[in-house]
Amino acid sequence: MKETPEHTVLLMGPPNVGKSVLFNRLTGLNVSCANYAGTTVEFTAGKTKLGKTEVSLVDVPGTYTLEATNEAEMVAVDMLSGKSMLSKSGSHCSGSSCQLAEIASSGPSAVLCVLDAGNLESSLYLLFQVLEYNLPVVAALNRLDLADEKGDIIDTSFLSRELGLPVVPTVAVEGKGFEELKSALRSVLEKGKSPSPVLRIKKQKGFLWPLAEELAQKALRRNFGDGGQVWQPGRRQKWGVLLLRTWPGLPLAFVILLLTFGMVVGLGMSLRQYILLPVFRGVIIPGIMEGVQGVVAPGFVQNMLIGEYGFLVKGLEWPFALVMPYVLSFYFALALLEDSGYLPRLGGLLDGLLNRIGLRGSGIIPLLLGYGCGIPAILATRALDSRKERLIITTMICLAVPCISQSGALIALLSERSVGLVLVIFIFSFLVMAAAGLLLDRLLKGARPPMVMEIPELLLPRVDVLGKKVLMRLKLFVMDGALPMVGAVALAALLFESGIMAYLGVVLRPLVSGWLGLPQEAAVPLVLGIMRREMAVLPLLEMDLTLLQLFVGAVVGLFYVPCIAIAATLAREFNLSIAAGMLLLTSSLAFLVGGIFFRVGSFFL
Amino acid sequence: MRFRKRRGNRALKSKDAVSCIPGELNLACLSEGQEAVIASVPDMPLFPPLGLRPGKKVKVCAKGCFGGPIIAEVDRRNIALGRCLAREVRLHGSGHLVSEGDLVRPSLKMQAKYPNLK
Ligand SMILES: Nc1nc2c(ncn2[C@@H]2O[C@H](COP(=O)(O)OP(=O)(O)OP(=O)(O)O)[C@@H](O)[C@H]2O)c(=O)[nH]1
Ligand SMILES: [Mg+2]
């Protein structure tokens, strides 16, 4: 193991100022950034070089104030007081960074507090609260480009003098001001804390807001160009508001969602149909077949490799030619929605409707993330301030929100007959979500607090950021998605070739054939589906199914248990009994609905 | 006056009319484009950092459909507030509220021509 740096620097600040962008640029890591409050919900540590010394930098969830109102903010406050890493070590950090953060359990050595040039007052208030912890602090005044555009000029040297700490102007997305920031950090780490002149005078709590207002007012000069007295909102600001109004916002929301769905399905399908499938079926797989046949004699081993579930055939084709195109198209569309700042607007528009099924507008973000992968989606519910709502959304995600791998499998399965079936399945899943929400809202205890949500400025997504995001998702998919999928196919091959599958088929026949009306082999996806969500659907592709069987299979696959990784996440975020309950709920509902569909369907068809 | 007539019609139709007793103005009473000064806010930790503090000028940018949130603008920032919370944000002023936003709103062209129109 490499030597760990002696200093730990926390990146703190209000939500959505650009802490994670700054963190990524400074450490070379790739944590997710998006244009809404509450993107980061756990801490991540990384290393950065300040001249010769290396420090570990920790990206922390954004906080409006240090009176935490949700679990994400609590992580931040715990980090600042050096508690989190001692008490709940590992439970709030992501992946490999746990190690780093745990070593830093003595507490942070300094804080890099990021201020929002567009909201100087509240940023300063938070800074005052941070200063009370008596740590060395450097402030970065970020988003200066946006303030500039509105004609705001902020006197950073005045702020720096008054606050008694370095205030460095930055534009995180362009990497501006980073060298100054680093050298300021270095000198602060060497020198230690210097007392803050303003705070010394008025330390009482009630004075912090007036003090922040006064400082902000003195530091800020507004210049509205050509002598105007009133700030004229630009085109982005005007659209930002129009998208929130019932007219034209609501019809536009419908159009935007439909376009997004169309883009994900259309782009994914054409990538698969016209590029990946021809390459795989025409070049790669025949090549592998030939190679294996030349080396391995026919029999068990050859069948494992290139037989019906041969993992060199299906194990490559499924993840790379079937699921990957949708990973690309989905995350591209999601990045557009995330970075533009449209998601919170959608939340604001739909809040009234969502209220009826026990949710608030802010819940739309984790739900949409769930169409990518359930794990980050469930983590994202930390940014909500009600446990009841967290549970409702989590249940919806486990039950009826297919992850992108499963969606890819469903699209491939159903679109061979008709694309309309895909739409039917998705609409049906919305209905089930609504029903689940209605029911849980009544059943679970606790009130739903009213919504308070900041709507970020509408921004034009940057091409380089979009590209980087999609690339990162692709990398993540290959490591965390495709490789396990190859493993699952290998397991399928083993089960199939060893005859265990046939045995399972017989055992499960009453359920699979008797109750659901599916062929006996459909026991396979039910077994594998516990491991990975898409495996509950993919094997059905290889069976000649009737229209009704297709539909029943798809419905069962959709509602069937979420993958094992989600079960682990549930146990970690909530507790074991909720994880177990969710598994029970989803599997029993899947069989119930599937069976009913089969009976009703065979009555009509 | 054009402005007054419109507001009158609206007040009759809107459900919020009930909560808008003259002399006790709250954020949910304003219609899109109107603005006023905050008198008091409910004691919630999230309010002050979002700019919702007594003395601040607040404008209603949009009102959500189906009983959705009020989208308020404070210090050029937009905040979505559930209706029942918006009702607890008391405003200075009462009765007929004449605001810059409402007078100007009928014609954006006029606004562009006379930026100082108030
Ligand atoms: N124009 C401009 N945009 C910025 C700047 N810094 C960040 N952004 C954008 O602001 C948004 C939020 O950035 P994040 O890094 O996710 O913000 P965060 O502070 O980590 O937010 P939380 O994790 O929610 O606390 C992203 O869409 C960025 O592209 C900047 O200096 N200028
Ligand atoms: Mg972040």
Side-chain angles (χ1 to χ4, degrees):
Chain A
M1 203 178 76
K2 267 175 63 193
E3 208 180 308
T4 38
E6 68 174 311
H7 289 303
T8 309
V9 178
L10 292 187
L11 250 171
M12 305 219 28
N16 210 37
V17 281
K19 297 177 295 299
S20 298
V21 175
L22 207 73
F23 175 81
N24 284 346
R25 288 231 172 200
L26 285 174
T27 60
L29 293 180
N30 227 331
V31 300
S32 52
C33 310
N35 189 11
Y36 54 76
T39 316
T40 307
V41 290
E42 55 186 358
F43 64 79
T44 310
K47 288 182 203 171
T48 188
K49 270 223 150 64
L50 304 177
K52 278 198 199 91
T53 52
E54 204 174 44
V55 298
S56 84
L57 193 66
V58 185
D59 187 27
V60 173
T63 51
Y64 283 110
T65 63
L66 293 184
E67 291 109 44
T69 57
N70 62 40
E71 288 179 44
E73 290 194 339
M74 244 174 276
V75 175
V77 178
D78 284 351
M79 294 288 303
L80 189 59
S81 46
K83 248 193 303 195
S84 141
M85 298 165 278
L86 286 173
S87 56
K88 284 184 155 185
S89 58
S91 79
H92 283 312
C93 63
S94 63
S96 56
S97 71
C98 297
Q99 210 181 15
L100 250 172
E102 248 181 298
I103 294 161
S105 61
S106 51
S109 356
V111 177
L112 174 50
C113 194
V114 188
L115 313 179
D116 187 347
N119 298 301
L120 203 49
E121 284 175 7
S122 345
S123 303
L124 285 174
Y125 181 82
L126 179 65
L127 176 66
F128 293 157
Q129 286 194 318
V130 170
L131 286 175
E132 282 172 10
Y133 282 76
N134 272 319
L135 291 165
V137 174
V138 172
L141 185 64
N142 195 36
R143 297 190 143 222
L144 263 183
D145 53 333
L146 297 174
D148 232 25
E149 200 186 89
K150 290 180 195 153
D152 288 0
I153 297 157
I154 298 171
D155 189 346
T156 43
S157 52
F158 167 78
L159 280 179
S160 175
R161 240 179 3 255
E162 292 289 306
L163 293 165
L165 50 89
V167 179
V168 183
T170 59
V171 179
V173 278
E174 284 162 24
K176 274 190 197 154
F178 281 29
E179 285 316 310
E180 293 86 333
L181 198 60
K182 282 183 179 176
S183 65
L185 251 180
R186 198 172 48 223
S187 68
V188 152
L189 280 173
E190 278 162 13
K191 275 198 308 225
K193 188 190 146 52
S194 53
S196 156
V198 268
L199 273 190
R200 218 177 19 204
I201 318 165
K202 312 176 177 176
K203 203 123 190 219
Q204 293 102 315
K205 270 243 155 64
F207 281 108
L208 286 187
W209 274 118
L211 185 60
E213 279 171 17
E214 189 193 317
L215 258 191
Q217 208 180 18
K218 279 189 188 157
L220 191 68
R221 211 148 36 77
R222 296 210 149 139
N223 174 11
F224 297 122
D226 41 289
Q229 298 288 304
V230 195
W231 173 61
Q232 293 294 320
R235 196 155 18 133
R236 267 194 299 112
Q237 281 89 9
K238 276 186 189 145
W239 271 102
V241 170
L242 284 180
L243 284 174
L244 276 163
R245 294 210 168 132
T246 311
W247 173 260
L250 200 61
L252 273 178
F254 191 71
V255 172
I256 289 172
L257 284 181
L258 216 61
L259 276 178
T260 308
F261 183 80
M263 191 174 99
V264 173
V265 175
L267 193 66
M269 263 174 133
S270 27
L271 267 175
R272 167 170 152 81
Q273 217 65 45
Y274 300 114
I275 301 176
L276 290 165
L277 264 192
V279 172
F280 263 81
R281 296 224 167 126
V283 185
I284 298 183
I285 290 179
I288 292 176
M289 295 279 252
E290 220 166 275
V292 171
Q293 274 159 355
V295 181
V296 184
F300 181 78
V301 179
Q302 198 196 59
N303 283 341
M304 273 286 294
L305 295 176
I306 54 173
E308 189 158 352
Y309 286 107
F311 79 96
L312 285 183
V313 180
K314 294 297 167 211
L316 289 182
E317 188 190 316
W318 280 345
F320 293 108
L322 196 152
V323 173
M324 200 173 71
Y326 296 102
V327 170
L328 272 172
S329 64
F330 174 81
Y331 281 109
F332 178 64
L334 184 71
L336 277 178
L337 291 177
E338 278 184 340
D339 281 16
S340 58
Y342 186 66
L343 289 182
R345 289 183 163 74
L346 191 63
L349 269 174
L350 298 185
D351 181 65
L353 278 180
L354 290 172
N355 275 183
R356 296 183 191 189
I357 55 169
L359 298 184
R360 287 173 300 170
S362 33
I364 201 97
I365 293 172
L367 275 181
L368 268 176
L369 292 181
Y371 284 93
C373 171
I375 297 167
I378 292 169
L379 290 183
T381 60
R382 279 185 189 173
L384 302 173
D385 55 2
S386 116
R387 189 180 155 89
K388 176 175 169 178
E389 198 179 6
R390 283 195 74 185
L391 263 177
I392 296 182
I393 292 179
T394 304
T395 311
M396 287 180 171
I397 290 169
C398 292
L399 193 62
V401 178
C403 67
I404 191 61
S405 299
Q406 198 183 26
S407 297
L410 283 171
I411 295 168
L413 181 70
L414 297 174
S415 65
E416 285 185 12
R417 296 294 165 85
S418 108
V419 184
L421 267 183
V422 179
L423 211 62
V424 172
I425 279 279
F426 274 90
I427 289 174
F428 183 63
S429 77
F430 294 150
L431 292 179
V432 170
M433 276 158 74
L438 271 175
L439 214 71
L440 286 174
D441 190 30
R442 305 266 179 302
L443 287 180
L444 293 176
K445 279 195 294 273
R448 169 165 27 91
M451 178 164 77
V452 186
M453 177 173 68
E454 182 172 6
I455 312 274
E457 203 169 321
L458 211 56
L459 295 176
L460 209 63
R462 298 166 61 99
V463 179
D464 55 330
V465 176
L466 289 182
K468 239 171 103 183
K469 267 190 165 180
V470 174
L471 212 65
M472 177 195 66
R473 295 296 183 172
L474 210 59
K475 242 200 279 168
L476 264 180
F477 168 72
V478 172
M479 301 311 293
D480 299 349
L483 291 181
M485 219 185 294
V486 177
V489 177
L491 182 68
L494 189 67
L495 290 177
F496 188 78
E497 296 304 330
S498 62
I500 297 177
M501 200 95 97
Y503 174 73
L504 272 176
V506 175
V507 173
L508 291 175
R509 189 164 58 193
L511 179 69
V512 176
S513 309
W515 173 245
L516 295 173
L518 295 173
Q520 200 172 308
E521 307 98 87
V524 181
L526 290 185
V527 173
L528 294 176
I530 300 173
M531 268 174 68
R532 296 193 46 91
R533 224 169 168 160
E534 73 281 346
M535 289 305 280
V537 177
L538 281 173
L540 298 175
L541 276 169
E542 304 300 307
M543 305 169 194
D544 259 325
L545 300 180
T546 66
L547 190 68
L548 179 62
Q549 285 177 326
L550 265 182
F551 200 74
V552 171
V555 165
V556 173
L558 176 67
F559 297 131
Y560 195 54
V561 291
C563 64
I564 219 136
I566 288 193
T569 309
L570 286 175
R572 201 182 75 161
E573 286 294 302
F574 299 96
N575 53 45
L576 264 181
S577 57
I578 283 186
M582 210 67 88
L583 293 183
L584 197 69
L585 173 79
T586 48
S587 48
S588 47
L589 197 82
F591 293 134
L592 185 71
V593 175
I596 293 174
F597 261 105
F598 168 55
R599 293 205 152 57
V600 175
S602 41
F603 192 73
F604 286 109
L605 292 177
Chain B
M1 237 171 95
R2 185 177 176 180
F3 153 68
R4 225 174 253 173
K5 201 165 136 214
R6 222 193 56 183
R7 187 163 191 284
N9 282 343
R10 222 179 236 216
L12 279 181
K13 268 187 258 156
S14 128
K15 268 189 233 155
D16 292 318
V18 193
S19 64
C20 294
I21 311 155
E24 237 186 72
L25 202 59
N26 66 50
L27 193 58
C29 299
L30 302 190
S31 39
E32 274 177 16
Q34 285 189 312
E35 59 183 10
V37 174
I38 298 180
S40 71
V41 294
D43 184 26
M44 282 181 63
L46 261 185
F47 270 47
L50 288 172
L52 293 162
R53 299 193 293 276
K56 287 268 176 193
K57 211 190 236 179
V58 60
K59 178 168 144 190
V60 170
C61 284
K63 295 185 111 170
C65 43
F66 312 108
I70 304 281
I71 314 287
E73 183 188 307
V74 190
D75 283 344
R76 304 174 185 177
R77 241 164 135 189
N78 292 325
I79 292 126
L81 275 184
R83 282 276 156 129
C84 48
L85 269 182
R87 282 195 200 105
E88 287 182 48
V89 177
R90 308 249 173 246
L91 306 174
H92 285 301
S94 63
H96 305 297
L97 191 86
V98 181
S99 87
E100 173 190 353
D102 237 283
L103 282 175
V104 172
R105 224 166 67 103
S107 144
L108 280 173
K109 256 190 216 153
M110 285 267 284
Q111 193 184 7
K113 228 173 174 179
Y114 308 102
N116 292 335
L117 190 74
K118 282 205 178 170

